Amino acid sequence: MAHPLHIVVLMGGWSAEREVSLMSGAGVADALESRGHRVTRIDMDRNLAARLTEAKPDIVFNALHGTPGEDGTVQGMLDLMGIRYTHSGLVTSVIAIDKVLTKQALVPHGIPMPGGRIVKSADLFERDPMTRPYVLKPVNEGSSVGVAIVTDEGNMGSPISAQAKGPWQEFDELLAEPFIRGRELTTAVLGDQALGVTELIVRNGFYDYDAKYTDGLTQHVFPAQIPDDIAEACKSLAVEAHRLLGCKGASRSDFRWDDERGVDGLFLLEVNTQPGMTPLSLVPEQARHCGIDYPELVQRIVDEAMKDAPAT
């Protein structure tokens, strides 16, 4: 049994992923209490600094998803306050939440990622930015929030209609990437070890936000039924991306694999520095298959943060 700590579990907030964060935080808090820790649950609001000052925790378990808990904002505040916290630090969070900065950090080191460019949403109503099919996504949202696949067969129009439902109605700029046919794979990294590779088979054909967090919409196949060289490549790339970005605790790397092209068809899409910790989430699921139960997983994330981030 680890030394008992006073741990604030930070959850909720006001991002598009609030509800998922509340589920993650509730699970984490229960797990920490089961390990003998004293837990204070905080649903983040604008008075967070005052509430943390009053709570005086030994460490904050960051169970936030999306902005401002995953983009460096909360990390910077905690750094200023001299409070230890789990998961990745300020610089890593700023880079990893931004899909363009992530490409700039990883591609020069040989990590294969789809090409892409920033487009103004208003320009989409005049012309396609690249040959269909292609993907449009916000530059700095997680959990497949606001992702659209634009195809010739779709009902978005050609060019895209301003009235068609899609991320162009919410964001002034979007990242356009070529669509990679094939299969959805994901690999969790805990510390510096890859836990395995899961294939995500979606009933409606696209692993979007609803598919991630609605029970029954996505089948998780672990270990993924893929060739050994593809599984090893996923694990190697996930660990290398985790290391290059400077991730701490747990991260999750999402891939697309064009199974007609072998290893040349494997592309990293993004690295999640605050992966979900809900009952449907992939990191706890992969950890469980590796013999690490949920409370032990949470404890390991806390242990790494206590070791690697001494308070100032």
Side-chain angles (χ1 to χ4, degrees):
M1 167 65 200
H3 178 66
L5 300 168
H6 177 207
I7 303 175
V8 161
V9 176
L10 189 54
M11 65 183 97
W14 51 85
S15 83
E17 301 171 71
R18 168 180 170 78
E19 295 305 319
V20 176
S21 173
L22 289 172
M23 286 191 286
S24 288
V28 166
D30 289 346
L32 289 169
E33 286 176 337
S34 78
R35 302 281 297 201
H37 299 293
R38 180 162 71 95
V39 174
T40 299
R41 295 162 169 82
I42 293 183
D43 183 346
M44 186 178 70
D45 59 19
R46 306 288 180 181
N47 297 317
L48 177 58
R51 296 172 73 184
L52 287 171
T53 299
E54 182 181 353
K56 298 182 174 63
D58 297 309
I59 188 170
V60 167
F61 193 107
N62 185 358
L64 295 166
H65 304 314
T67 57
E70 196 169 350
D71 67 354
T73 304
V74 165
Q75 289 80 2
M77 186 199 74
L78 293 170
D79 287 341
L80 281 173
M81 296 180 72
I83 298 176
R84 298 176 176 94
Y85 56 93
T86 64
H87 296 83
S88 297
L90 169 61
V91 174
T92 298
S93 300
V94 168
I95 294 172
I97 194 75
D98 187 303
K99 296 176 178 67
V100 174
L101 291 178
T102 301
K103 290 181 198 290
Q104 292 171 351
L106 297 182
V107 171
H109 294 275
I111 305 290
M113 300 184 74
R117 63 189 185 90
I118 301 294
V119 297
K120 293 189 179 303
S121 294
D123 292 344
L124 297 169
F125 311 140
E126 298 179 12
R127 70 190 72 85
D128 284 328
M130 57 183 63
T131 304
R132 298 187 180 196
Y134 62 89
V135 179
L136 292 169
K137 58 181 75 170
V139 176
N140 55 6
E141 289 281 351
S143 278
S144 303
V145 171
V147 177
I149 299 175
V150 182
T151 66
D152 286 329
E153 300 78 30
N155 57 3
M156 297 166 181
S158 183
I160 292 172
S161 165
Q163 283 69 49
K165 184 180 178 183
W168 44 85
Q169 293 180 329
E170 300 177 57
F171 302 94
D172 293 333
E173 291 187 331
L174 294 165
L175 175 64
E177 294 178 343
F179 174 73
I180 299 164
R181 67 157 302 280
R183 299 161 70 174
E184 197 94 31
L185 306 173
T186 193
T187 295
V189 175
L190 180 62
D192 59 357
Q193 298 289 317
L195 298 180
V197 184
T198 299
E199 180 172 8
L200 307 162
I201 301 174
V202 187
R203 299 192 192 286
N204 67 359
F206 175 47
Y207 190 52
D208 61 7
Y209 184 86
D210 289 337
K212 279 187 181 181
Y213 299 115
T214 305
D215 200 1
L217 287 188
T218 303
Q219 178 186 359
H220 296 181
V221 180
F222 185 92
Q225 302 303 296
I226 55 177
D228 289 345
D229 62 332
I230 302 300
E232 289 307 311
C234 284
K235 291 190 281 188
S236 171
L237 290 169
V239 169
E240 184 67 356
H242 183 100
R243 184 189 70 78
L244 287 167
L245 292 172
C247 298
K248 299 292 184 184
S251 72
R252 196 192 74 242
S253 289
D254 296 336
F255 298 90
R256 287 286 289 185
W257 177 46
D258 182 343
D259 52 5
E260 293 180 355
R261 296 177 56 196
V263 75
D264 290 339
L266 183 65
F267 295 90
L268 174 68
L269 298 182
E270 64 179 311
V271 178
N272 300 273
T273 58
Q274 298 278 137
M277 296 286 285
T278 75
L280 292 180
S281 295
L282 290 147
V283 173
E285 185 177 71
Q286 288 192 3
R288 186 167 62 250
H289 281 288
C290 294
I292 305 168
D293 66 17
Y294 188 93
E296 174 65 17
L297 169 63
V298 172
Q299 183 66 55
R300 288 196 189 190
I301 293 171
V302 169
D303 289 345
E304 183 177 350
M306 290 296 291
K307 177 184 68 182
D308 290 345
T312 55

